[in-house]
Amino acid sequence: MGTYLEDFRKNPLSANPYIVITCFDELIRKRDLALIRGDVICNMDRDEGSIILQQLIDSYLINDKYE
């Protein structure tokens, strides 16, 4: 789940999610494949959600960005 930092700082329990990212790993053993779904909830458009999801994936898959 991703939210606005200021909302989280004010009250972590009531911070509204902007994007929810789910990893489905059921196919890893058979197909060496994981599916990722990103749902944009509010205060963000689809393009922004796609950029955030791609940056998250890159930060795990590209060694130079994984720090």
Side-chain angles (χ1 to χ4, degrees):
M1 181 182 84
T3 189
Y4 185 60
L5 181 58
E6 291 303 317
D7 289 348
F8 183 79
R9 285 181 176 162
K10 287 178 187 173
N11 187 346
L13 298 176
S14 70
N16 291 324
Y18 283 30
I19 187 170
V20 176
I21 299 168
T22 308
C23 180
F24 300 94
D25 59 0
E26 292 87 358
L27 298 174
I28 289 178
R29 290 185 185 196
K30 281 187 173 182
R31 307 274 177 158
D32 198 27
L33 176 72
L35 303 176
I36 298 175
R37 175 180 174 160
D39 294 306
V40 175
I41 306 299
C42 67
N43 298 325
M44 180 183 301
D45 63 34
R46 187 176 182 161
D47 290 337
E48 291 171 320
S50 294
I51 290 169
I52 289 173
L53 184 56
Q54 189 60 56
Q55 288 176 341
L56 178 71
I57 293 168
D58 289 349
S59 70
Y60 283 98
L61 297 179
I62 300 173
N63 287 336
D64 293 341
K65 293 185 178 183
Y66 186 76
E67 295 178 2

